[in-house]
């Protein structure tokens, strides 16, 4: 068992927070595999110290970047270029088999059974199911594979500017060759897909084992009110495709297990916990003018906004409201 490991990657302090939540969720669900975090050189020493408390091994690696500005611009995700750093995971040859998990994933139950799968096993991507999503995959570390991947990158680039394009092109037979390498969606439940096929989520969602917070807005982009036990977000974040229950679960785990480690690691240095500062709120609450009631949109206006992609996932178009309407319709 010691020769197998869960591996994640953090290229910034923000993603390091996500990695800590992922690592702690694996610990909480009693994995008996090692935990390894690859970190870029821009991750601070304080975050590395906190990571070392959760992970068995923390390795600093060089950042790889596709430099593919055209495809990254097409995806409107310039931040994805550095995800090619993920290819370093194949150099962990001290392990015979690993499961890579993005730092914006969180496990909901034990998933050690994934080590029964072979390279390259992954779940379909909700945007194009003939491609796998590279947020969770089973692989075998190999310097030979690592060298071949780097050569492939230099000769072919990536069709999406990130690691997912490279890996799908390199492991090009995933969609057709061996169904045993298709992981069930419950091992990489992309939050974006919950709303696109709500009936399936209602039917199968309770079996989910891994949730993946896809998109540019991440759980750590929000703040958390420790008194009220509520996640706080700006208006711009309300369009994020994120199930509120999973978002709350992430913050509860961060609050209980990760924030104390970070506070200890930062000691006297400035540290942003992500918590709502009640001391400031208490002083300004009475002086602040009451917020105006949001304008109620007509059904036609809501329809137009929905079709334009302007969906209020934290308000009228929330998961709970959609589910309530679906239940009414089915009855």
């Amino acid at each position: 068992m010691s020769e197998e490991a869960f591996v994640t990657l953090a290229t910034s302090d923000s993603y390091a927070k996500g990695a800590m939540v992922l690592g702690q969720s694996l610990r909480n669900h009693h994995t008996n595999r090692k935990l390894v975090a690859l970190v870029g050189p821009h991750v601070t020493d304080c975050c590395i110290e906190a990571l070392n408390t959760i992970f068995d091994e923390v390795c600093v690696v060089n950042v790889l970047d596709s430099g593919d500005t055209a495809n990254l611009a097409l995806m409107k995700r310039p931040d994805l270029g550095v995800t090619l750093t993920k290819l370093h995971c194949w150099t962990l040859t001290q392990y015979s088999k690993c499961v890579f998990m993005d730092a914006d994933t969180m496990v909901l139950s034990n998933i050690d059974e994934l080590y029964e799968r072979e390279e390259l096993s992954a779940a379909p991507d909700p945007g194009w199911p003939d491609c796998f999503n590279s947020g969770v995959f089973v692989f075998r570390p190999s310097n030979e594979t690592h060298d071949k991947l780097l050569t492939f990158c230099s000769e072919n680039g990536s069709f999406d500017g990130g690691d997912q394009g490279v890996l799908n092109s390199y492991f090009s037979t995933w969609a057709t060759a061996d169904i045993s390498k298709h992981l069930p969606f419950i091992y990489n439940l992309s939050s974006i897909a919950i709303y696109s096929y709500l009936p399936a989520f209602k039917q199968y969602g309770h079996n989910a084992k891994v949730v993946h917070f896809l998109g540019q807005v991440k759980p750590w982009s929000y703040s958390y009110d420790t008194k009220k036990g509520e996640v706080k977000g700006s208006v711009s974040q309300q369009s994020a495709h994120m199930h509120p229950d999973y978002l709350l679960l992430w913050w509860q785990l961060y609050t209980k297990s990760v924030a104390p480690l970070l506070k200890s690691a930062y000691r006297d240095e400035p540290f942003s916990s992500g918590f709502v500062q009640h001391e400031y709120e208490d002083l300004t609450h009475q002086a602040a003018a009451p917020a105006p009631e949001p304008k109620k949109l007509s059904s036609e206006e809501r329809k137009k906004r929905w079709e334009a992609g302007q969906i209020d996932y934290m308000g009228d178009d929330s998961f709970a409201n959609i589910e309530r309407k679906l239940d009414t319709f089915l009855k």
Side-chain angles (χ1 to χ4, degrees):
M1 298 299 183
S2 62
E3 294 182 344
E4 297 175 340
F6 285 102
V7 182
T8 191
L9 167 69
T11 54
S12 67
D13 282 4
S14 294
Y15 275 86
K17 289 181 180 180
M20 290 177 223
V21 170
L22 167 62
Q24 191 60 52
S25 69
L26 285 162
R27 294 283 187 209
N28 289 353
H29 292 291
H30 311 296
T31 181
N32 55 15
R33 267 63 175 190
K34 296 287 188 179
L35 302 187
V36 178
L38 304 178
V39 299
H42 299 301
V43 176
T44 62
D45 290 341
C46 292
C47 274
I48 290 176
E49 180 182 329
L51 282 164
N52 271 308
T53 307
I54 298 173
F55 287 81
D56 297 293
E57 192 173 354
V58 179
C59 308
V60 179
V61 296
N62 294 325
V63 172
L64 304 177
D65 195 325
S66 69
D68 191 348
T69 55
N71 277 319
L72 292 171
L74 183 67
M75 296 178 67
K76 299 180 181 179
R77 292 295 302 279
D79 55 306
L80 290 181
V82 295
T83 57
L84 287 182
T85 308
K86 187 182 296 187
L87 302 183
H88 282 299
C89 69
W90 267 273
T91 66
L92 298 171
T93 54
Q94 64 270 40
Y95 302 103
S96 60
K97 189 186 290 186
C98 297
V99 174
F100 185 91
M101 303 186 72
D102 277 349
D104 58 352
T105 61
M106 178 178 66
V107 304
L108 307 174
S109 64
N110 185 284
I111 55 171
D112 286 356
E113 68 273 13
L114 286 179
Y115 291 91
E116 299 170 11
R117 305 279 184 147
E118 276 303 327
E119 182 180 80
L120 189 293
S121 292
D125 188 84
W128 193 265
D130 278 346
C131 290
F132 58 81
N133 182 277
S134 60
V136 178
F137 61 86
V138 182
F139 71 100
R140 285 190 176 275
S142 160
N143 287 324
E144 180 182 0
T145 303
H146 178 253
D147 292 343
K148 287 181 177 179
L149 280 165
L150 292 183
T151 300
F152 185 90
C153 285
S154 64
E155 294 177 352
N156 302 282
S158 168
F159 67 74
D160 67 357
D163 66 276
Q164 185 159 304
V166 170
L167 294 176
N168 270 278
S169 296
Y170 185 83
F171 296 99
S172 58
T173 63
W174 173 86
T176 56
D178 187 352
I179 193 65
S180 70
K181 294 183 180 180
H182 288 220
L183 296 182
F185 197 57
I186 60 171
Y187 288 104
N188 191 346
L189 179 64
S190 306
S191 53
I192 192 172
I194 292 172
Y195 291 96
S196 62
Y197 195 17
L198 188 62
F201 177 72
K202 186 175 181 181
Q203 178 72 15
Y204 304 113
H206 62 279
N207 294 321
K209 294 196 168 191
V210 179
V211 61
H212 189 178
F213 298 102
L214 280 176
Q216 196 159 15
V217 178
K218 301 300 181 186
W220 53 85
S221 305
Y222 295 80
S223 59
Y224 184 66
D225 189 325
T226 53
K227 284 187 177 180
K228 296 180 180 178
E230 296 176 352
V231 179
K232 303 289 185 180
S234 68
V235 175
S236 62
Q237 291 165 345
Q238 291 179 3
S239 62
H241 302 268
M242 203 173 295
H243 192 295
D245 291 348
Y246 294 138
L247 180 59
L248 178 61
L249 190 61
W250 188 97
W251 270 99
Q252 288 172 338
L253 183 52
Y254 172 82
T255 302
K256 180 180 179 181
S257 301
V258 174
L261 294 178
L262 286 168
K263 186 177 180 181
S264 174
Y266 275 82
R267 298 178 183 87
D268 297 327
E269 295 184 41
F271 163 58
S272 176
S273 66
F275 299 144
V276 172
Q277 298 299 313
H278 281 284
E279 296 83 0
Y280 175 78
E281 283 189 346
D282 291 341
L283 291 172
T284 60
H285 179 72
Q286 292 182 352
E293 285 291 323
K295 178 186 174 184
K296 200 72 176 175
L297 298 177
S298 67
S299 296
E300 186 62 29
E301 288 175 314
R302 284 181 60 200
K303 179 182 177 184
K304 287 181 180 178
R305 289 198 176 192
W306 183 285
E307 291 172 346
Q310 299 171 358
I311 305 167
D312 181 10
Y313 283 105
M314 301 293 281
D316 287 340
D317 303 318
S318 68
F319 174 81
N321 285 341
I322 296 174
E323 185 177 40
R324 195 178 302 114
K325 289 185 178 181
L326 182 64
D327 286 339
T328 303
F329 175 77
L330 292 175
K331 288 177 182 177

